[in-house]
Amino acid sequence: ENVINSLPEISECMVYGQKSTLGENIAVNIVMCNGYVEGDIKSLMSKLRKILPPYLMPSKINIVESLPRNASGKIVRYKELQI
């Protein structure tokens, strides 16, 4: 998360494992800073390939308006698969 959050176009993100029939995949929910543009995911994946090792590359990126938070303002991780 720290590496992804260091990119200037990312406001915040939540990384989580998502079970599939082939094992566990890495998925990321991302809140973009300046609004979402259709080409942002391809550009973002290209940047992530340069800074993340292959085993940490997300298999799926979801662009979301906001991340779920509790009353304390912390990200609620148990809702990650419902987004």
Side-chain angles (χ1 to χ4, degrees):
E1 289 180 351
N2 290 335
V3 172
I4 296 172
N5 280 326
S6 71
L7 296 174
E9 57 267 62
I10 305 299
S11 175
E12 60 184 348
C13 74
M14 176 178 61
V15 177
Y16 59 94
Q18 188 172 38
K19 300 246 184 218
S20 72
T21 56
L22 301 175
E24 191 166 327
N25 296 320
I26 298 172
V28 182
N29 287 331
I30 292 180
V31 178
M32 302 295 278
C33 278
N34 298 322
Y36 170 67
V37 178
E38 188 62 35
D40 286 348
I41 290 180
K42 289 180 184 178
S43 171
L44 184 59
M45 288 296 273
S46 176
K47 289 179 181 181
L48 291 177
R49 279 189 200 94
K50 294 176 184 175
I51 58 176
L52 289 175
Y55 68 92
L56 289 179
M57 277 298 295
S59 54
K60 183 175 183 180
I61 293 179
N62 302 308
I63 305 296
V64 296
E65 289 184 26
S66 64
L67 298 176
R69 297 189 181 276
N70 63 18
S72 303
K74 295 182 180 180
I75 295 172
V76 178
R77 295 189 175 273
Y78 67 86
K79 290 189 176 182
E80 60 210 15
L81 299 177
Q82 298 173 6
I83 293 179

